[in-house]
């Protein structure tokens, strides 16, 4: 008997559009927890050796459902844009 509240697994093909997002590649995490961003993805995002990336995760029902990488240099503007209106700035 299938478990209740268990969603079926969905595999999205590489290159598929998901609203504002796109699946560009699928990567594998190694035994040390490391992964490689493909060259095409790094070039497209302008990520170079030594760049700092912030790891941002979203949770839904207590489970991490999304992990995003954001260039650290862009965080200040994003935080100001999100929180500035709350503080009248």
């Amino acid at each position: 008997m299938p478990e209740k509240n268990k969603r079926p697994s969905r595999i999205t093909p590489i290159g598929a559009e998901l609203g504002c997002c796109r699946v560009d590649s699928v990567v594998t995490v190694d035994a040390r927890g490391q992964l490689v961003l493909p060259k095409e993805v790094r070039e497209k995002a302008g990520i170079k050796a030594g760049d700092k990336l912030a790891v941002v995760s979203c949770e839904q029902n207590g489970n991490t459902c999304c992990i995003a990488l954001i260039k650290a240099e862009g965080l200040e503007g994003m935080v100001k844009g999100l929180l500035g209106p709350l503080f009248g700035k």
Side-chain angles (χ1 to χ4, degrees), residues 39-72:
K39 181 180 179 181
E40 298 81 23
V41 172
R42 293 191 316 268
E43 287 176 347
K44 191 174 178 182
I47 298 170
K48 295 176 180 55
D51 284 354
K52 303 280 186 201
L53 302 173
V55 178
V56 180
S57 63
C58 298
E59 286 189 12
Q60 191 172 40
N61 300 324
N63 295 312
T64 299
C65 61
C66 180
I67 299 172
L69 300 175
I70 301 172
K71 285 185 176 182

Side-chain angles (χ1 to χ4, degrees), residues 8-88:
S9 174
R10 290 188 216 161
I11 303 296
T12 303
I14 294 173
E17 297 289 335
L18 302 171
C20 67
C21 301
R22 175 181 163 90
V23 178
D24 286 319
S25 67
V26 175
V27 297
T28 301
V29 178
D30 70 16
R32 292 177 37 189
Q34 298 176 332
L35 58 90
V36 174
L37 292 175
K39 181 180 179 181
E40 298 81 23
V41 172
R42 293 191 316 268
E43 287 176 347
K44 191 174 178 182
I47 298 170
K48 295 176 180 55
D51 284 354
K52 303 280 186 201
L53 302 173
V55 178
V56 180
S57 63
C58 298
E59 286 189 12
Q60 191 172 40
N61 300 324
N63 295 312
T64 299
C65 61
C66 180
I67 299 172
L69 300 175
I70 301 172
K71 285 185 176 182
E73 64 193 32
L75 281 178
E76 182 180 354
M78 291 177 79
V79 171
K80 283 182 181 178
L82 290 171
L83 298 179
L86 296 174
F87 298 104

Side-chain angles (χ1 to χ4, degrees), residues 1-12:
M1 178 188 279
E3 293 180 39
K4 289 183 181 180
N5 300 328
K6 188 171 182 183
R7 286 193 249 173
S9 174
R10 290 188 216 161
I11 303 296
T12 303

